[in-house]
């Protein structure tokens, strides 16, 4: 069932609504052709014919960094100990077994899980392009199109960040697992990516997997592709100190400096993780208005470290949030973790207000994915809404005017009651309207790719 906007005008009555700066009781939102046409406050009861959304309604949440197939690793990679690099070997095993059909089934279930968590838009950092051994499918974009179809059928929006992944390291050829990821050259990557087209629910962006995976002389090709299309460009940056050390050994500079030298940074670019940065790196990112996507639940799961999010924002970087490897899928937890991680690091509280954290999870996340007309409750914006219960065992008690604080510091994805995309209810009373049994869909899809 394609994701098309609700054609018939609809009115939603929001018991409580977060309007970007505060929580307002009794708000009516009118929707036509998938967009908000009016927002009216001071309506203490639902107008005739309006659909009532009880709880706290936010703009739809944006998951700015996802690898859908990593969802198959949940639980498995938490056994025993290890490092990012040992985790990566397990990840390769799952990647080796995926086909376009099994990837569609897995991604559809993962995106349905996201919808249940109030996520209305995902940035899919997609590098699993080809068949095992690197052979191209008859349709070279079969895997990418599977992801686009999966998002459509799960009822959420997607920015497919088609990823250039050309080498195993600085000057090293792809290993046997990475042959599936590589187009050989950036020009060949660009030619394949050119064939991808957006849709009502989808936009196409670009990504540099990392400075170790795209040779320095080819970084400009990827950046130019994104620049010509005014498309978002994302890049894994300094997630591991080993990457920084290898980059300095190969190029005499940090990964951030290398990206700056080759024109990758800028306001349409988002650096993912940015965990291990120098002061000069932070100034380069902020001064170029490069955004940064923090993925706290994955960064702690992989023992990556705590990135300098406060300093990055102070220097001018817009912050967004992602669930990355999907150790959990819960944007409220990502928002909470960003603040709580900083508290642990500094032993002080209150680095961001609840409103600022919600902006990272909504408007700023959408902006990082190229959806500038989303993530706010205002006329003209996409009619994407998320309603959180204020009467669960986690959220009961606080005054409704403290709904933003309750959402960020108490609620979880389990408290999402409704998810609306383009004016259509994709999740109603905690049940996905298109994938009625999401746990079974996940279990079946993961079993199909389990080794």
């Amino acid at each position: 069932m394609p994701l098309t906007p609700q054609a018939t005008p609809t009115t939603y009555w929001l018991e409580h609504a977060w309007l970007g700066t505060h929580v307002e009781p009794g708000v009516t939102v009118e929707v036509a052709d998938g967009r908000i046409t009016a927002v009216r406050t001071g309506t203490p009861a639902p107008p005739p014919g309006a659909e009532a959304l009880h709880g706290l309604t936010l703009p739809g949440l944006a998951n700015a960094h996802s690898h859908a197939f990593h969802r198959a690793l949940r639980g498995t990679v938490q056994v025993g100990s290890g490092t990012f690099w040992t985790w990566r070997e397990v990840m390769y095993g799952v990647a080796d077994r995926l086909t376009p059909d099994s990837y569609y089934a897995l991604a559809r279930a993962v995106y349905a899980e996201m919808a249940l968590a109030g996520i209305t838009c995902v940035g899919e950092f997609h590098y699993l392009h080809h068949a095992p051994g690197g052979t191209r499918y008859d349709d070279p974009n079969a895997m990418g199109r599977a992801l686009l179809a999966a998002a459509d059928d799960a009822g959420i929006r997607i920015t497919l960040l088609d990823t250039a992944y050309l080498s195993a390291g600085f000057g090293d050829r792809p290993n046997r697992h990475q042959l599936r990821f590589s187009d050989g050259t950036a020009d060949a990557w660009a030619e394949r990516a050119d064939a991808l087209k957006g849709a009502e629910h989808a936009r196409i962006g670009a990504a540099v997997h990392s400075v170790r995976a795209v040779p320095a002389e080819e970084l400009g090709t990827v950046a130019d592709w994104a620049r010509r299309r005014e498309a978002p460009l994302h890049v894994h940056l300094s997630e591991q100190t080993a990457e920084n050390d290898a980059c300095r050994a190969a190029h005499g500079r940090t990964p951030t400096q290398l990206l700056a030298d080759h024109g990758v940074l800028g306001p349409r670019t988002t650096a993912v993780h940015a965990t291990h940065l120098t002061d000069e790196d932070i100034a380069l990112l902020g001064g170029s208005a490069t955004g940064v996507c923090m993925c706290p639940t994955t960064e702690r799961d992989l023992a990556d470290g705590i990135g300098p999010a406060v300093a990055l924002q102070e220097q001018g970087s817009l912050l967004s949030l992602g669930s990355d490897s999907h150790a959990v899928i819960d944007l409220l937890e990502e928002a909470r973790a960003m603040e709580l991680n900083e508290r642990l690091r500094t032993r002080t509280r209150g680095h961001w207000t609840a409103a600022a954290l919600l902006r990272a999870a909504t408007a700023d996340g959408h902006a990082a994915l190229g959806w500038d007309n989303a993530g706010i409750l205002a006329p003209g914006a996409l009619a994407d809404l998320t309603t959180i219960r204020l009467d669960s065992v986690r959220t009961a008690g606080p005054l409704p005017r403290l709904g933003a604080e309750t959402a960020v510091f108490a609620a979880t994805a389990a408290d999402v009651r409704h998810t609306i995309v383009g004016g259509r209810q994709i999740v109603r009373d905690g049940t996905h309207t298109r994938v009625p049994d999401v746990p079974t869909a996940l279990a079946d899809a993961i079993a199909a790719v389990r080794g």
Side-chain angles (χ1 to χ4, degrees):
M1 185 188 303
L3 176 61
T4 55
Q6 178 69 277
T8 305
T10 302
T11 299
Y12 289 102
W13 178 77
L14 319 182
E15 183 183 23
H16 302 282
W18 181 67
L19 298 183
T21 56
H22 66 286
V23 173
E24 184 78 21
V27 176
T28 299
V29 172
E30 296 176 8
V31 175
D33 296 323
R35 292 185 178 273
I36 297 172
T37 57
V39 176
R40 307 186 194 285
T41 59
T43 51
E51 294 192 40
L53 303 181
H54 291 281
L56 173 69
T57 297
L58 315 168
L61 304 177
N63 186 354
H65 189 67
S66 162
H67 303 291
F69 76 92
H70 291 188
R71 175 62 178 83
L73 302 173
R74 186 186 295 176
T76 301
V77 291
Q78 279 73 35
V79 176
S81 60
T83 67
F84 168 86
W85 307 103
T86 56
W87 169 90
R88 191 175 70 159
E89 292 303 312
V90 181
M91 178 270 287
Y92 284 155
V94 173
D96 288 344
R97 291 185 286 273
L98 284 164
T99 67
D101 287 343
S102 62
Y103 205 7
Y104 163 80
L106 177 58
R108 175 177 176 267
V110 173
Y111 296 153
E113 182 182 358
M114 290 186 191
L116 289 174
I119 293 164
T120 57
C121 185
V122 61
E124 184 62 39
F125 198 102
H126 166 56
Y127 54 83
L128 188 54
H129 302 305
H130 308 300
T135 302
R136 289 197 170 204
Y137 292 105
D138 290 341
D139 173 4
N141 285 303
M143 296 294 268
R145 294 192 211 283
L147 293 167
L148 295 173
D152 200 13
D153 290 346
I156 69 172
R157 304 184 195 277
I158 184 171
T159 296
L160 186 69
L161 298 160
D162 196 278
T163 303
Y165 193 136
L166 308 176
S167 66
F170 298 94
D172 296 332
R173 292 178 56 80
N175 66 33
R176 64 183 181 87
H177 304 292
Q178 296 164 342
L179 290 172
R180 293 200 74 172
F181 311 159
S182 179
D183 290 295
T185 67
D187 285 335
W189 165 83
E191 182 179 359
R192 180 185 51 74
D194 276 339
L196 286 165
K197 305 298 179 188
E200 182 72 35
H201 78 293
R203 295 189 175 168
I204 308 300
V208 169
H209 179 273
S210 56
V211 293
R212 69 178 186 275
V214 178
E217 64 272 15
E218 303 206 58
L219 289 170
T221 300
V222 184
D224 288 344
W225 188 95
R227 190 175 298 111
R228 287 195 302 272
R229 288 158 182 76
E230 297 185 346
L233 173 62
H234 288 215
V235 54
H236 289 137
L237 178 64
S238 293
E239 182 178 3
Q240 298 291 322
T241 55
E243 177 184 283
N244 291 351
D245 294 342
C247 187
R248 285 192 179 96
H251 297 288
R253 65 204 70 188
T254 67
T256 301
Q257 291 165 336
L258 188 67
L259 294 175
D261 290 347
H262 291 274
V264 177
L265 304 185
R268 282 194 300 275
T269 299
T270 297
V272 181
H273 302 304
T275 309
H276 303 285
L277 303 178
T278 66
D279 290 344
E280 292 78 10
D281 292 339
I282 294 169
L284 277 172
L285 291 167
S288 61
T290 299
V292 175
C293 178
M294 309 301 291
C295 305
T297 65
T298 289
E299 289 150 8
R300 71 190 184 197
D301 182 56
L302 296 179
D304 288 341
I306 300 171
V310 172
L312 285 161
Q313 189 170 60
E314 288 175 347
Q315 288 293 317
S317 290
L318 202 68
L319 299 181
S320 55
L321 298 165
S323 62
D324 192 5
S325 68
H326 312 313
V328 298
I329 293 177
D330 188 338
L331 260 288
L332 300 174
E333 173 62 20
E334 303 294 346
R336 174 163 56 246
M338 189 162 72
E339 166 65 23
L340 297 187
N341 283 355
E342 194 66 18
R343 292 182 185 186
L344 285 174
R345 191 180 70 81
T346 63
R347 292 184 292 174
T348 60
R349 304 176 73 205
H351 303 278
W352 291 277
T353 64
L357 294 167
L358 285 178
R359 280 195 298 275
T362 56
D364 294 348
H366 281 96
L369 298 177
W371 299 85
D372 294 326
N373 56 349
I376 58 173
L377 300 184
L382 294 172
D384 298 352
L385 313 174
T386 296
T387 302
I388 296 169
R389 292 179 58 179
L390 294 179
D391 58 358
S392 77
V393 293
R394 289 165 295 277
T395 60
L399 295 170
R401 64 180 174 81
L402 299 175
E405 288 75 12
T406 303
V408 171
F409 293 106
T412 73
D415 295 309
V416 172
R417 175 174 274 159
H418 309 297
T419 305
I420 294 168
V421 183
R424 293 184 181 275
Q425 279 201 273
I426 302 302
V427 173
R428 180 181 290 113
D429 292 319
T431 298
H432 200 290
T433 60
R434 300 182 178 198
V435 188
D437 189 350
V438 178
T440 296
L442 284 163
D444 289 348
I446 292 168
V449 299
R450 183 181 294 128

